Amino acid sequence: MHQSSSSEEPTDEQRIECAARGLLRSIGRLSQTLFRNGDFGLTRSQVAVLDALEGGPLRVTGLAGHTGMAQPRVTVVLQGLQERGLASRARRADDRRVVEASLTAAGREVLDEGRRRMAAALLRGLDAGVDDSERAVGAARDALTTLLNAMEPENC
């Protein structure tokens, strides 16, 4: 690949690529920081499965699709959540061959509490240096939504 000399201006593609790398690093750091502040008492994989189940019962294949984990990994994570009473598994009444996982009330409470702690940590951080915290978070959300819609226009 050809390196540009210091006298050449970067191309639009190079500027976007550089900005994208910075965005990805920042999103990763924000995600790690928020997760740590959420203090869920669970692994990220476990929280991802609970989060996916919040939308309603799912089969292991659906959970794998929502979380990006392999099906065997989802099965292990789901078993651990079930043992802790945070998720349940049951056969569907209309097709006894199908087993679906659901979020329990205890699982919902763990998610809600962790999210409250995450939001509180975000607010504390913003209060330290941002005049309008709600506007800052809304602008970040809107910017990410714009990027997602540009990349996944069929998922509106």
mmCIF file of all heavy atoms in Angstrom, residues 38 40 47 50-52 54 108-121:
data_model
loop_
_atom_site.group_PDB
_atom_site.id
_atom_site.type_symbol
_atom_site.label_atom_id
_atom_site.label_comp_id
_atom_site.label_asym_id
_atom_site.label_seq_id
_atom_site.Cartn_x
_atom_site.Cartn_y
_atom_site.Cartn_z
ATOM 1 N N GLY A 38 -22.117 -0.942 35.582
ATOM 2 C CA GLY A 38 -23.398 -1.607 35.764
ATOM 3 C C GLY A 38 -23.359 -2.612 36.890
ATOM 4 O O GLY A 38 -24.380 -2.915 37.492
ATOM 5 N N PHE A 40 -23.256 -5.810 37.180
ATOM 6 C CA PHE A 40 -24.317 -6.806 37.048
ATOM 7 C C PHE A 40 -24.049 -8.066 37.861
ATOM 8 O O PHE A 40 -24.964 -8.828 38.147
ATOM 9 C CB PHE A 40 -24.470 -7.221 35.575
ATOM 10 C CG PHE A 40 -25.039 -6.151 34.693
ATOM 11 C CD1 PHE A 40 -24.207 -5.273 34.010
ATOM 12 C CD2 PHE A 40 -26.405 -6.031 34.521
ATOM 13 C CE1 PHE A 40 -24.732 -4.296 33.186
ATOM 14 C CE2 PHE A 40 -26.943 -5.064 33.699
ATOM 15 C CZ PHE A 40 -26.098 -4.184 33.029
ATOM 16 N N VAL A 47 -25.106 -11.100 30.288
ATOM 17 C CA VAL A 47 -25.928 -9.896 30.143
ATOM 18 C C VAL A 47 -26.461 -9.796 28.717
ATOM 19 O O VAL A 47 -27.621 -9.415 28.507
ATOM 20 C CB VAL A 47 -25.137 -8.632 30.544
ATOM 21 C CG1 VAL A 47 -25.918 -7.360 30.213
ATOM 22 C CG2 VAL A 47 -24.799 -8.672 32.030
ATOM 23 N N LEU A 50 -29.474 -12.101 28.490
ATOM 24 C CA LEU A 50 -30.621 -11.513 29.182
ATOM 25 C C LEU A 50 -31.211 -10.363 28.373
ATOM 26 O O LEU A 50 -32.434 -10.238 28.249
ATOM 27 C CB LEU A 50 -30.227 -11.018 30.579
ATOM 28 C CG LEU A 50 -29.876 -12.078 31.615
ATOM 29 C CD1 LEU A 50 -29.480 -11.415 32.933
ATOM 30 C CD2 LEU A 50 -31.014 -13.062 31.819
ATOM 31 N N ASP A 51 -30.346 -9.537 27.824
ATOM 32 C CA ASP A 51 -30.788 -8.406 27.011
ATOM 33 C C ASP A 51 -31.588 -8.894 25.800
ATOM 34 O O ASP A 51 -32.632 -8.336 25.470
ATOM 35 C CB ASP A 51 -29.573 -7.586 26.567
ATOM 36 C CG ASP A 51 -29.972 -6.333 25.826
ATOM 37 O OD1 ASP A 51 -30.634 -5.465 26.434
ATOM 38 O OD2 ASP A 51 -29.629 -6.222 24.636
ATOM 39 N N ALA A 52 -31.109 -9.940 25.149
ATOM 40 C CA ALA A 52 -31.815 -10.494 23.988
ATOM 41 C C ALA A 52 -33.175 -11.060 24.394
ATOM 42 O O ALA A 52 -34.150 -10.947 23.650
ATOM 43 C CB ALA A 52 -30.963 -11.569 23.320
ATOM 44 N N GLU A 54 -35.089 -9.994 26.644
ATOM 45 C CA GLU A 54 -36.009 -8.940 27.066
ATOM 46 C C GLU A 54 -37.122 -8.707 26.039
ATOM 47 O O GLU A 54 -38.230 -8.318 26.389
ATOM 48 C CB GLU A 54 -35.233 -7.647 27.307
ATOM 49 C CG GLU A 54 -36.055 -6.583 27.981
ATOM 50 C CD GLU A 54 -35.211 -5.385 28.357
ATOM 51 O OE1 GLU A 54 -34.255 -5.052 27.635
ATOM 52 O OE2 GLU A 54 -35.524 -4.790 29.386
ATOM 53 N N ARG A 108 -35.021 -9.775 34.859
ATOM 54 C CA ARG A 108 -35.402 -8.401 34.495
ATOM 55 C C ARG A 108 -34.901 -7.417 35.546
ATOM 56 O O ARG A 108 -34.396 -6.344 35.213
ATOM 57 C CB ARG A 108 -36.911 -8.281 34.347
ATOM 58 C CG ARG A 108 -37.360 -6.873 33.959
ATOM 59 C CD ARG A 108 -38.787 -6.792 33.514
ATOM 60 N NE ARG A 108 -39.107 -7.694 32.428
ATOM 61 C CZ ARG A 108 -38.796 -7.514 31.149
ATOM 62 N NH1 ARG A 108 -38.103 -6.453 30.806
ATOM 63 N NH2 ARG A 108 -39.143 -8.379 30.232
ATOM 64 N N GLU A 109 -34.996 -7.787 36.807
ATOM 65 C CA GLU A 109 -34.527 -6.910 37.881
ATOM 66 C C GLU A 109 -33.014 -6.703 37.799
ATOM 67 O O GLU A 109 -32.526 -5.588 37.984
ATOM 68 C CB GLU A 109 -34.921 -7.474 39.251
ATOM 69 C CG GLU A 109 -34.549 -6.582 40.413
ATOM 70 C CD GLU A 109 -35.187 -5.199 40.370
ATOM 71 O OE1 GLU A 109 -36.299 -5.035 39.813
ATOM 72 O OE2 GLU A 109 -34.553 -4.259 40.885
ATOM 73 N N VAL A 110 -32.266 -7.762 37.512
ATOM 74 C CA VAL A 110 -30.812 -7.628 37.352
ATOM 75 C C VAL A 110 -30.492 -6.668 36.204
ATOM 76 O O VAL A 110 -29.636 -5.789 36.337
ATOM 77 C CB VAL A 110 -30.153 -9.009 37.114
ATOM 78 C CG1 VAL A 110 -28.731 -8.872 36.618
ATOM 79 C CG2 VAL A 110 -30.185 -9.827 38.400
ATOM 80 N N LEU A 111 -31.188 -6.825 35.077
ATOM 81 C CA LEU A 111 -30.971 -5.919 33.946
ATOM 82 C C LEU A 111 -31.312 -4.480 34.323
ATOM 83 O O LEU A 111 -30.545 -3.554 34.052
ATOM 84 C CB LEU A 111 -31.833 -6.332 32.754
ATOM 85 C CG LEU A 111 -31.312 -7.399 31.828
ATOM 86 C CD1 LEU A 111 -32.325 -7.666 30.707
ATOM 87 C CD2 LEU A 111 -29.969 -7.033 31.238
ATOM 88 N N ASP A 112 -32.478 -4.298 34.922
ATOM 89 C CA ASP A 112 -32.925 -2.944 35.276
ATOM 90 C C ASP A 112 -31.971 -2.273 36.252
ATOM 91 O O ASP A 112 -31.610 -1.103 36.076
ATOM 92 C CB ASP A 112 -34.338 -2.986 35.876
ATOM 93 C CG ASP A 112 -35.408 -3.324 34.852
ATOM 94 O OD1 ASP A 112 -35.125 -3.296 33.630
ATOM 95 O OD2 ASP A 112 -36.544 -3.637 35.278
ATOM 96 N N GLU A 113 -31.546 -2.996 37.285
ATOM 97 C CA GLU A 113 -30.626 -2.425 38.273
ATOM 98 C C GLU A 113 -29.280 -2.074 37.642
ATOM 99 O O GLU A 113 -28.724 -1.006 37.899
ATOM 100 C CB GLU A 113 -30.418 -3.389 39.445
ATOM 101 C CG GLU A 113 -31.508 -3.350 40.468
ATOM 102 C CD GLU A 113 -31.642 -1.983 41.127
ATOM 103 O OE1 GLU A 113 -30.620 -1.391 41.535
ATOM 104 O OE2 GLU A 113 -32.781 -1.517 41.231
ATOM 105 N N GLY A 114 -28.757 -2.980 36.826
ATOM 106 C CA GLY A 114 -27.489 -2.713 36.162
ATOM 107 C C GLY A 114 -27.580 -1.515 35.234
ATOM 108 O O GLY A 114 -26.683 -0.669 35.201
ATOM 109 N N ARG A 115 -28.669 -1.413 34.519
ATOM 110 C CA ARG A 115 -28.853 -0.272 33.614
ATOM 111 C C ARG A 115 -28.994 1.034 34.382
ATOM 112 O O ARG A 115 -28.507 2.074 33.937
ATOM 113 C CB ARG A 115 -30.071 -0.506 32.732
ATOM 114 C CG ARG A 115 -29.823 -1.580 31.692
ATOM 115 C CD ARG A 115 -31.081 -1.896 30.953
ATOM 116 N NE ARG A 115 -30.834 -2.881 29.903
ATOM 117 C CZ ARG A 115 -31.791 -3.598 29.349
ATOM 118 N NH1 ARG A 115 -33.059 -3.441 29.723
ATOM 119 N NH2 ARG A 115 -31.507 -4.470 28.404
ATOM 120 N N ARG A 116 -29.657 0.989 35.526
ATOM 121 C CA ARG A 116 -29.756 2.203 36.356
ATOM 122 C C ARG A 116 -28.357 2.638 36.814
ATOM 123 O O ARG A 116 -28.036 3.831 36.808
ATOM 124 C CB ARG A 116 -30.665 1.969 37.556
ATOM 125 C CG ARG A 116 -32.146 2.104 37.236
ATOM 126 C CD ARG A 116 -33.004 2.164 38.499
ATOM 127 N NE ARG A 116 -33.235 0.873 39.102
ATOM 128 C CZ ARG A 116 -34.169 0.011 38.717
ATOM 129 N NH1 ARG A 116 -34.963 0.298 37.716
ATOM 130 N NH2 ARG A 116 -34.308 -1.140 39.329
ATOM 131 N N ARG A 117 -27.546 1.674 37.229
ATOM 132 C CA ARG A 117 -26.174 2.012 37.651
ATOM 133 C C ARG A 117 -25.360 2.555 36.472
ATOM 134 O O ARG A 117 -24.570 3.485 36.639
ATOM 135 C CB ARG A 117 -25.491 0.798 38.275
ATOM 136 C CG ARG A 117 -26.013 0.467 39.673
ATOM 137 C CD ARG A 117 -25.189 -0.599 40.372
ATOM 138 N NE ARG A 117 -25.355 -1.918 39.805
ATOM 139 C CZ ARG A 117 -26.282 -2.798 40.177
ATOM 140 N NH1 ARG A 117 -27.132 -2.501 41.144
ATOM 141 N NH2 ARG A 117 -26.352 -3.979 39.614
ATOM 142 N N MET A 118 -25.560 1.976 35.301
ATOM 143 C CA MET A 118 -24.856 2.472 34.113
ATOM 144 C C MET A 118 -25.268 3.917 33.807
ATOM 145 O O MET A 118 -24.414 4.765 33.536
ATOM 146 C CB MET A 118 -25.155 1.573 32.909
ATOM 147 C CG MET A 118 -24.540 0.197 33.004
ATOM 148 S SD MET A 118 -25.181 -0.952 31.753
ATOM 149 C CE MET A 118 -24.361 -0.380 30.288
ATOM 150 N N ALA A 119 -26.570 4.180 33.827
ATOM 151 C CA ALA A 119 -27.067 5.526 33.542
ATOM 152 C C ALA A 119 -26.554 6.524 34.581
ATOM 153 O O ALA A 119 -26.171 7.653 34.232
ATOM 154 C CB ALA A 119 -28.591 5.526 33.498
ATOM 155 N N ALA A 120 -26.545 6.116 35.840
ATOM 156 C CA ALA A 120 -26.054 7.005 36.896
ATOM 157 C C ALA A 120 -24.578 7.326 36.685
ATOM 158 O O ALA A 120 -24.149 8.472 36.863
ATOM 159 C CB ALA A 120 -26.278 6.370 38.268
ATOM 160 N N ALA A 121 -23.802 6.329 36.300
ATOM 161 C CA ALA A 121 -22.372 6.553 36.047
ATOM 162 C C ALA A 121 -22.187 7.490 34.862
ATOM 163 O O ALA A 121 -21.330 8.385 34.889
ATOM 164 C CB ALA A 121 -21.666 5.223 35.799
#
